Amino acid sequence: MELPDFMSHASYFSANDFLDKISRVAKRAGAKLVYAALILFYTLQSKQVSKTDKALIIGALGYMISPLDVIPDAYPIVGLSDDMAVLIYVLRKVWTNVDPDIQLKAKEKLTRWFDEDEMEETNHLFDSDD
């Protein structure tokens, strides 16, 4: 899958819009997508992350929030696949900045929307089954 120009969507990102969207689509998106998005969201707040990496994260999260993307979110199952591809792409780029506390914080937030069985897929974040 070729990645879209997600950086052009950076202007759509805001913390409030992100949290609103993630809470609305959590169950439909699945634990893996939500976990990746939360890790990026919390990594964005870290002082250890470069401005370049923060720009990538803002672009990816903006793309996720944007109503204008390659595959509209309204399409069942495939509608979020482009969002997942962008999130995983950026997560791989910034992974060295993701400390275990960020991963734990993201998993703790997931417990609001997912049970233990659903959260199992977060253990395979970089597996390409999307």
Side-chain angles (χ1 to χ4, degrees):
M1 169 185 262
E2 186 176 324
L3 286 178
D5 178 19
F6 63 88
M7 291 305 294
S8 65
H9 292 79
S11 63
Y12 286 99
F13 177 75
S14 80
N16 288 338
D17 289 344
F18 168 77
L19 293 171
D20 179 55
K21 171 124 186 201
I22 209 74
S23 67
R24 281 187 290 113
V25 303
K27 278 294 192 182
R28 186 168 55 97
K32 190 173 180 180
L33 183 141
V34 175
Y35 183 51
L38 288 170
I39 288 174
L40 290 173
F41 180 71
Y42 293 132
T43 300
L44 181 62
Q45 298 169 11
S46 172
K47 291 181 170 84
Q48 300 171 356
V49 179
S50 72
K51 288 182 181 181
T52 302
D53 286 350
K54 285 185 178 194
L56 281 172
I57 293 169
I58 288 170
L61 295 179
Y63 184 82
M64 190 188 117
I65 293 169
S66 171
L68 308 170
D69 57 12
V70 175
I71 305 172
D73 296 348
Y75 290 113
I77 301 170
V78 298
L80 294 169
S81 62
D82 60 324
D83 295 358
M84 185 65 180
V86 167
L87 294 176
I88 293 298
Y89 172 80
V90 173
L91 195 52
R92 285 181 191 269
K93 293 278 189 194
V94 303
W95 190 250
T96 57
N97 294 313
V98 179
D99 64 41
D101 289 341
I102 289 173
Q103 295 173 48
L104 181 61
K105 189 174 182 179
K107 283 218 177 177
E108 286 173 356
K109 185 81 163 178
L110 280 180
T111 62
R112 291 179 150 186
W113 302 298
F114 301 99
D115 62 32
E116 276 186 48
D117 289 340
E118 293 169 314
M119 288 182 57
E120 176 64 27
E121 67 184 90
T122 64
N123 296 329
H124 310 285
L125 190 58
F126 294 118
D127 292 355
S128 58
D129 60 348
D130 318 304

